[in-house]
PDB file of all heavy atoms in Angstrom:
ATOM      1  N   GLY P 222     -46.146 110.261 190.473  1.00 93.00           N
ATOM      2  CA  GLY P 222     -47.406 110.661 189.854  1.00 93.00           C
ATOM      3  C   GLY P 222     -48.503 110.906 190.876  1.00 93.00           C
ATOM      4  O   GLY P 222     -49.434 111.671 190.642  1.00 93.00           O
ATOM      5  N   SER P 223     -48.384 110.245 192.016  1.00 91.00           N
ATOM      6  CA  SER P 223     -49.379 110.351 193.084  1.00 91.00           C
ATOM      7  C   SER P 223     -48.722 109.925 194.386  1.00 91.00           C
ATOM      8  O   SER P 223     -47.865 109.043 194.400  1.00 91.00           O
ATOM      9  CB  SER P 223     -50.561 109.418 192.770  1.00 91.00           C
ATOM     10  OG  SER P 223     -51.413 109.310 193.885  1.00 91.00           O
ATOM     11  N   TRP P 224     -49.137 110.540 195.485  1.00 92.00           N
ATOM     12  CA  TRP P 224     -48.598 110.111 196.781  1.00 92.00           C
ATOM     13  C   TRP P 224     -49.022 108.676 197.076  1.00 92.00           C
ATOM     14  O   TRP P 224     -48.278 107.926 197.690  1.00 92.00           O
ATOM     15  CB  TRP P 224     -49.060 111.045 197.898  1.00 92.00           C
ATOM     16  CG  TRP P 224     -48.462 112.417 197.816  1.00 92.00           C
ATOM     17  CD1 TRP P 224     -49.139 113.595 197.657  1.00 92.00           C
ATOM     18  CD2 TRP P 224     -47.074 112.780 197.885  1.00 92.00           C
ATOM     19  NE1 TRP P 224     -48.258 114.645 197.608  1.00 92.00           N
ATOM     20  CE2 TRP P 224     -46.988 114.172 197.747  1.00 92.00           C
ATOM     21  CE3 TRP P 224     -45.900 112.048 198.024  1.00 92.00           C
ATOM     22  CZ2 TRP P 224     -45.772 114.864 197.767  1.00 92.00           C
ATOM     23  CZ3 TRP P 224     -44.690 112.730 198.041  1.00 92.00           C
ATOM     24  CH2 TRP P 224     -44.637 114.115 197.914  1.00 92.00           C
ATOM     25  N   ALA P 225     -50.211 108.296 196.640  1.00 91.00           N
ATOM     26  CA  ALA P 225     -50.690 106.927 196.833  1.00 91.00           C
ATOM     27  C   ALA P 225     -50.244 106.094 195.642  1.00 91.00           C
ATOM     28  O   ALA P 225     -50.725 106.273 194.527  1.00 91.00           O
ATOM     29  CB  ALA P 225     -52.211 106.912 196.952  1.00 91.00           C
ATOM     30  N   SER P 226     -49.309 105.186 195.875  1.00 94.00           N
ATOM     31  CA  SER P 226     -48.744 104.389 194.795  1.00 94.00           C
ATOM     32  C   SER P 226     -48.600 102.938 195.242  1.00 94.00           C
ATOM     33  O   SER P 226     -48.438 102.659 196.425  1.00 94.00           O
ATOM     34  CB  SER P 226     -47.374 104.970 194.419  1.00 94.00           C
ATOM     35  OG  SER P 226     -46.805 104.293 193.339  1.00 94.00           O
ATOM     36  N   ARG P 227     -48.655 102.028 194.280  1.00 94.00           N
ATOM     37  CA  ARG P 227     -48.453 100.609 194.578  1.00 94.00           C
ATOM     38  C   ARG P 227     -47.040 100.346 195.082  1.00 94.00           C
ATOM     39  O   ARG P 227     -46.802  99.432 195.849  1.00 94.00           O
ATOM     40  CB  ARG P 227     -48.664  99.804 193.292  1.00 94.00           C
ATOM     41  CG  ARG P 227     -49.767  98.846 193.336  1.00 94.00           C
ATOM     42  CD  ARG P 227     -49.993  98.088 192.027  1.00 94.00           C
ATOM     43  NE  ARG P 227     -49.228  98.514 190.858  1.00 94.00           N
ATOM     44  CZ  ARG P 227     -48.208  97.837 190.339  1.00 94.00           C
ATOM     45  NH1 ARG P 227     -47.810  96.722 190.883  1.00 94.00           N
ATOM     46  NH2 ARG P 227     -47.597  98.270 189.266  1.00 94.00           N
ATOM     47  N   GLY P 228     -46.084 101.119 194.593  1.00 95.00           N
ATOM     48  CA  GLY P 228     -44.686 100.997 194.971  1.00 95.00           C
ATOM     49  C   GLY P 228     -44.001 102.341 194.818  1.00 95.00           C
ATOM     50  O   GLY P 228     -44.575 103.278 194.249  1.00 95.00           O
ATOM     51  N   TYR P 229     -42.779 102.429 195.301  1.00 97.00           N
ATOM     52  CA  TYR P 229     -42.046 103.702 195.305  1.00 97.00           C
ATOM     53  C   TYR P 229     -40.609 103.473 194.872  1.00 97.00           C
ATOM     54  O   TYR P 229     -40.011 102.454 195.208  1.00 97.00           O
ATOM     55  CB  TYR P 229     -42.053 104.311 196.714  1.00 97.00           C
ATOM     56  CG  TYR P 229     -43.434 104.714 197.147  1.00 97.00           C
ATOM     57  CD1 TYR P 229     -44.315 103.775 197.673  1.00 97.00           C
ATOM     58  CD2 TYR P 229     -43.876 106.019 197.010  1.00 97.00           C
ATOM     59  CE1 TYR P 229     -45.597 104.126 198.047  1.00 97.00           C
ATOM     60  CE2 TYR P 229     -45.163 106.380 197.375  1.00 97.00           C
ATOM     61  CZ  TYR P 229     -46.022 105.429 197.890  1.00 97.00           C
ATOM     62  OH  TYR P 229     -47.291 105.784 198.248  1.00 97.00           O
ATOM     63  N   ASP P 230     -40.069 104.443 194.146  1.00 97.00           N
ATOM     64  CA  ASP P 230     -38.641 104.409 193.880  1.00 97.00           C
ATOM     65  C   ASP P 230     -37.934 105.182 194.985  1.00 97.00           C
ATOM     66  O   ASP P 230     -38.573 105.631 195.942  1.00 97.00           O
ATOM     67  CB  ASP P 230     -38.318 104.923 192.471  1.00 97.00           C
ATOM     68  CG  ASP P 230     -38.542 106.410 192.242  1.00 97.00           C
ATOM     69  OD1 ASP P 230     -38.830 107.159 193.204  1.00 97.00           O
ATOM     70  OD2 ASP P 230     -38.433 106.843 191.078  1.00 97.00           O
ATOM     71  N   CYS P 231     -36.625 105.322 194.874  1.00 97.00           N
ATOM     72  CA  CYS P 231     -35.849 105.925 195.957  1.00 97.00           C
ATOM     73  C   CYS P 231     -36.304 107.341 196.288  1.00 97.00           C
ATOM     74  O   CYS P 231     -36.621 107.659 197.440  1.00 97.00           O
ATOM     75  CB  CYS P 231     -34.362 105.893 195.627  1.00 97.00           C
ATOM     76  SG  CYS P 231     -33.899 106.749 194.086  1.00 97.00           S
ATOM     77  N   SER P 232     -36.356 108.201 195.283  1.00 98.00           N
ATOM     78  CA  SER P 232     -36.728 109.595 195.546  1.00 98.00           C
ATOM     79  C   SER P 232     -38.214 109.721 195.869  1.00 98.00           C
ATOM     80  O   SER P 232     -38.613 110.600 196.632  1.00 98.00           O
ATOM     81  CB  SER P 232     -36.341 110.492 194.373  1.00 98.00           C
ATOM     82  OG  SER P 232     -36.899 110.012 193.167  1.00 98.00           O
ATOM     83  N   GLY P 233     -39.033 108.830 195.327  1.00 98.00           N
ATOM     84  CA  GLY P 233     -40.460 108.827 195.672  1.00 98.00           C
ATOM     85  C   GLY P 233     -40.671 108.500 197.145  1.00 98.00           C
ATOM     86  O   GLY P 233     -41.508 109.094 197.814  1.00 98.00           O
ATOM     87  N   ALA P 234     -39.892 107.542 197.662  1.00 98.00           N
ATOM     88  CA  ALA P 234     -39.997 107.164 199.077  1.00 98.00           C
ATOM     89  C   ALA P 234     -39.499 108.274 199.995  1.00 98.00           C
ATOM     90  O   ALA P 234     -40.125 108.580 201.013  1.00 98.00           O
ATOM     91  CB  ALA P 234     -39.230 105.873 199.337  1.00 98.00           C
ATOM     92  N   VAL P 235     -38.379 108.898 199.634  1.00 98.00           N
ATOM     93  CA  VAL P 235     -37.866 110.015 200.439  1.00 98.00           C
ATOM     94  C   VAL P 235     -38.859 111.172 200.387  1.00 98.00           C
ATOM     95  O   VAL P 235     -39.171 111.786 201.416  1.00 98.00           O
ATOM     96  CB  VAL P 235     -36.462 110.445 199.967  1.00 98.00           C
ATOM     97  CG1 VAL P 235     -36.014 111.727 200.663  1.00 98.00           C
ATOM     98  CG2 VAL P 235     -35.442 109.327 200.220  1.00 98.00           C
ATOM     99  N   SER P 236     -39.371 111.456 199.197  1.00 98.00           N
ATOM    100  CA  SER P 236     -40.366 112.527 199.060  1.00 98.00           C
ATOM    101  C   SER P 236     -41.601 112.254 199.904  1.00 98.00           C
ATOM    102  O   SER P 236     -42.148 113.163 200.540  1.00 98.00           O
ATOM    103  CB  SER P 236     -40.788 112.674 197.586  1.00 98.00           C
ATOM    104  OG  SER P 236     -39.743 113.177 196.790  1.00 98.00           O
ATOM    105  N   PHE P 237     -42.053 110.993 199.944  1.00 98.00           N
ATOM    106  CA  PHE P 237     -43.236 110.628 200.726  1.00 98.00           C
ATOM    107  C   PHE P 237     -43.018 110.937 202.208  1.00 98.00           C
ATOM    108  O   PHE P 237     -43.895 111.492 202.872  1.00 98.00           O
ATOM    109  CB  PHE P 237     -43.561 109.143 200.532  1.00 98.00           C
ATOM    110  CG  PHE P 237     -44.881 108.742 201.118  1.00 98.00           C
ATOM    111  CD1 PHE P 237     -46.038 108.789 200.361  1.00 98.00           C
ATOM    112  CD2 PHE P 237     -44.977 108.323 202.438  1.00 98.00           C
ATOM    113  CE1 PHE P 237     -47.268 108.428 200.904  1.00 98.00           C
ATOM    114  CE2 PHE P 237     -46.196 107.958 202.993  1.00 98.00           C
ATOM    115  CZ  PHE P 237     -47.351 108.008 202.225  1.00 98.00           C
ATOM    116  N   ALA P 238     -41.853 110.585 202.736  1.00 98.00           N
ATOM    117  CA  ALA P 238     -41.556 110.861 204.146  1.00 98.00           C
ATOM    118  C   ALA P 238     -41.505 112.369 204.406  1.00 98.00           C
ATOM    119  O   ALA P 238     -42.058 112.858 205.400  1.00 98.00           O
ATOM    120  CB  ALA P 238     -40.242 110.201 204.555  1.00 98.00           C
ATOM    121  N   LEU P 239     -40.858 113.103 203.510  1.00 98.00           N
ATOM    122  CA  LEU P 239     -40.783 114.564 203.670  1.00 98.00           C
ATOM    123  C   LEU P 239     -42.162 115.205 203.552  1.00 98.00           C
ATOM    124  O   LEU P 239     -42.478 116.156 204.270  1.00 98.00           O
ATOM    125  CB  LEU P 239     -39.819 115.167 202.651  1.00 98.00           C
ATOM    126  CG  LEU P 239     -38.348 114.775 202.803  1.00 98.00           C
ATOM    127  CD1 LEU P 239     -37.542 115.288 201.615  1.00 98.00           C
ATOM    128  CD2 LEU P 239     -37.785 115.290 204.118  1.00 98.00           C
ATOM    129  N   HIS P 240     -42.980 114.693 202.660  1.00 98.00           N
ATOM    130  CA  HIS P 240     -44.348 115.198 202.519  1.00 98.00           C
ATOM    131  C   HIS P 240     -45.155 114.919 203.793  1.00 98.00           C
ATOM    132  O   HIS P 240     -45.903 115.779 204.267  1.00 98.00           O
ATOM    133  CB  HIS P 240     -45.019 114.557 201.304  1.00 98.00           C
ATOM    134  CG  HIS P 240     -46.451 114.938 201.142  1.00 98.00           C
ATOM    135  ND1 HIS P 240     -46.844 116.206 200.764  1.00 98.00           N
ATOM    136  CD2 HIS P 240     -47.584 114.221 201.315  1.00 98.00           C
ATOM    137  CE1 HIS P 240     -48.169 116.246 200.716  1.00 98.00           C
ATOM    138  NE2 HIS P 240     -48.638 115.055 201.044  1.00 98.00           N
ATOM    139  N   GLY P 241     -44.993 113.729 204.344  1.00 97.00           N
ATOM    140  CA  GLY P 241     -45.684 113.381 205.589  1.00 97.00           C
ATOM    141  C   GLY P 241     -45.323 114.316 206.729  1.00 97.00           C
ATOM    142  O   GLY P 241     -46.129 114.559 207.623  1.00 97.00           O
ATOM    143  N   ALA P 242     -44.106 114.849 206.673  1.00 98.00           N
ATOM    144  CA  ALA P 242     -43.642 115.794 207.695  1.00 98.00           C
ATOM    145  C   ALA P 242     -44.103 117.221 207.410  1.00 98.00           C
ATOM    146  O   ALA P 242     -43.839 118.126 208.200  1.00 98.00           O
ATOM    147  CB  ALA P 242     -42.114 115.758 207.767  1.00 98.00           C
ATOM    148  N   GLY P 243     -44.748 117.424 206.264  1.00 97.00           N
ATOM    149  CA  GLY P 243     -45.166 118.771 205.881  1.00 97.00           C
ATOM    150  C   GLY P 243     -44.021 119.597 205.309  1.00 97.00           C
ATOM    151  O   GLY P 243     -44.101 120.819 205.245  1.00 97.00           O
ATOM    152  N   LEU P 244     -42.954 118.939 204.854  1.00 97.00           N
ATOM    153  CA  LEU P 244     -41.767 119.641 204.372  1.00 97.00           C
ATOM    154  C   LEU P 244     -41.658 119.685 202.856  1.00 97.00           C
ATOM    155  O   LEU P 244     -40.768 120.331 202.319  1.00 97.00           O
ATOM    156  CB  LEU P 244     -40.510 118.979 204.950  1.00 97.00           C
ATOM    157  CG  LEU P 244     -40.425 118.951 206.475  1.00 97.00           C
ATOM    158  CD1 LEU P 244     -39.248 118.094 206.934  1.00 97.00           C
ATOM    159  CD2 LEU P 244     -40.314 120.370 207.021  1.00 97.00           C
ATOM    160  N   LEU P 245     -42.562 118.996 202.158  1.00 97.00           N
ATOM    161  CA  LEU P 245     -42.496 118.921 200.711  1.00 97.00           C
ATOM    162  C   LEU P 245     -43.917 118.815 200.168  1.00 97.00           C
ATOM    163  O   LEU P 245     -44.706 118.015 200.671  1.00 97.00           O
ATOM    164  CB  LEU P 245     -41.682 117.678 200.325  1.00 97.00           C
ATOM    165  CG  LEU P 245     -41.185 117.528 198.911  1.00 97.00           C
ATOM    166  CD1 LEU P 245     -40.217 118.643 198.545  1.00 97.00           C
ATOM    167  CD2 LEU P 245     -40.483 116.181 198.766  1.00 97.00           C
ATOM    168  N   GLN P 246     -44.234 119.611 199.152  1.00 96.00           N
ATOM    169  CA  GLN P 246     -45.584 119.593 198.587  1.00 96.00           C
ATOM    170  C   GLN P 246     -45.713 118.685 197.373  1.00 96.00           C
ATOM    171  O   GLN P 246     -46.763 118.101 197.149  1.00 96.00           O
ATOM    172  CB  GLN P 246     -46.020 121.013 198.217  1.00 96.00           C
ATOM    173  CG  GLN P 246     -46.131 121.931 199.426  1.00 96.00           C
ATOM    174  CD  GLN P 246     -47.040 121.362 200.497  1.00 96.00           C
ATOM    175  OE1 GLN P 246     -48.156 120.959 200.230  1.00 96.00           O
ATOM    176  NE2 GLN P 246     -46.538 121.301 201.724  1.00 96.00           N
ATOM    177  N   THR P 247     -44.653 118.594 196.572  1.00 96.00           N
ATOM    178  CA  THR P 247     -44.661 117.729 195.396  1.00 96.00           C
ATOM    179  C   THR P 247     -43.410 116.859 195.419  1.00 96.00           C
ATOM    180  O   THR P 247     -42.369 117.279 195.926  1.00 96.00           O
ATOM    181  CB  THR P 247     -44.695 118.551 194.084  1.00 96.00           C
ATOM    182  OG1 THR P 247     -43.555 119.409 194.059  1.00 96.00           O
ATOM    183  CG2 THR P 247     -45.951 119.395 193.985  1.00 96.00           C
ATOM    184  N   PRO P 248     -43.479 115.656 194.864  1.00 97.00           N
ATOM    185  CA  PRO P 248     -42.317 114.769 194.868  1.00 97.00           C
ATOM    186  C   PRO P 248     -41.150 115.351 194.069  1.00 97.00           C
ATOM    187  O   PRO P 248     -41.353 116.050 193.078  1.00 97.00           O
ATOM    188  CB  PRO P 248     -42.825 113.491 194.199  1.00 97.00           C
ATOM    189  CG  PRO P 248     -44.306 113.568 194.233  1.00 97.00           C
ATOM    190  CD  PRO P 248     -44.652 115.022 194.249  1.00 97.00           C
ATOM    191  N   LEU P 249     -39.956 115.044 194.516  1.00 98.00           N
ATOM    192  CA  LEU P 249     -38.735 115.448 193.813  1.00 98.00           C
ATOM    193  C   LEU P 249     -38.017 114.203 193.322  1.00 98.00           C
ATOM    194  O   LEU P 249     -38.059 113.157 193.978  1.00 98.00           O
ATOM    195  CB  LEU P 249     -37.795 116.202 194.756  1.00 98.00           C
ATOM    196  CG  LEU P 249     -38.294 117.508 195.358  1.00 98.00           C
ATOM    197  CD1 LEU P 249     -37.264 118.051 196.355  1.00 98.00           C
ATOM    198  CD2 LEU P 249     -38.580 118.528 194.273  1.00 98.00           C
ATOM    199  N   ASP P 250     -37.326 114.323 192.182  1.00 98.00           N
ATOM    200  CA  ASP P 250     -36.460 113.228 191.768  1.00 98.00           C
ATOM    201  C   ASP P 250     -35.108 113.395 192.458  1.00 98.00           C
ATOM    202  O   ASP P 250     -34.857 114.404 193.114  1.00 98.00           O
ATOM    203  CB  ASP P 250     -36.341 113.149 190.242  1.00 98.00           C
ATOM    204  CG  ASP P 250     -35.712 114.386 189.616  1.00 98.00           C
ATOM    205  OD1 ASP P 250     -34.981 115.139 190.308  1.00 98.00           O
ATOM    206  OD2 ASP P 250     -35.942 114.603 188.417  1.00 98.00           O
ATOM    207  N   SER P 251     -34.253 112.396 192.333  1.00 97.00           N
ATOM    208  CA  SER P 251     -32.990 112.441 193.070  1.00 97.00           C
ATOM    209  C   SER P 251     -32.112 113.612 192.644  1.00 97.00           C
ATOM    210  O   SER P 251     -31.430 114.217 193.478  1.00 97.00           O
ATOM    211  CB  SER P 251     -32.233 111.118 192.936  1.00 97.00           C
ATOM    212  OG  SER P 251     -31.925 110.847 191.591  1.00 97.00           O
ATOM    213  N   THR P 252     -32.131 113.979 191.369  1.00 98.00           N
ATOM    214  CA  THR P 252     -31.335 115.121 190.917  1.00 98.00           C
ATOM    215  C   THR P 252     -31.828 116.410 191.562  1.00 98.00           C
ATOM    216  O   THR P 252     -31.028 117.237 192.004  1.00 98.00           O
ATOM    217  CB  THR P 252     -31.367 115.226 189.376  1.00 98.00           C
ATOM    218  OG1 THR P 252     -30.809 114.020 188.827  1.00 98.00           O
ATOM    219  CG2 THR P 252     -30.576 116.423 188.884  1.00 98.00           C
ATOM    220  N   SER P 253     -33.127 116.594 191.664  1.00 98.00           N
ATOM    221  CA  SER P 253     -33.684 117.792 192.307  1.00 98.00           C
ATOM    222  C   SER P 253     -33.347 117.835 193.790  1.00 98.00           C
ATOM    223  O   SER P 253     -33.157 118.910 194.361  1.00 98.00           O
ATOM    224  CB  SER P 253     -35.192 117.845 192.127  1.00 98.00           C
ATOM    225  OG  SER P 253     -35.529 117.924 190.760  1.00 98.00           O
TER     226      SER P 253
END
């Protein structure tokens, strides 16, 4: 729901790292 979160699930954490690298603009779920 937001890059700033109290906690992260698996795909949220991977998405956060990819976003930090400039490789992803919005979070993806594991299926995506």
Side-chain angles (χ1 to χ4, degrees):
S223 169
W224 291 119
S226 183
R227 242 178 352 107
Y229 294 82
D230 69 7
C231 58
S232 55
V235 172
S236 291
F237 189 91
L239 294 172
H240 176 70
L244 301 172
L245 194 63
Q246 296 306 310
T247 58
L249 298 175
D250 62 22
S251 61
T252 299
S253 298

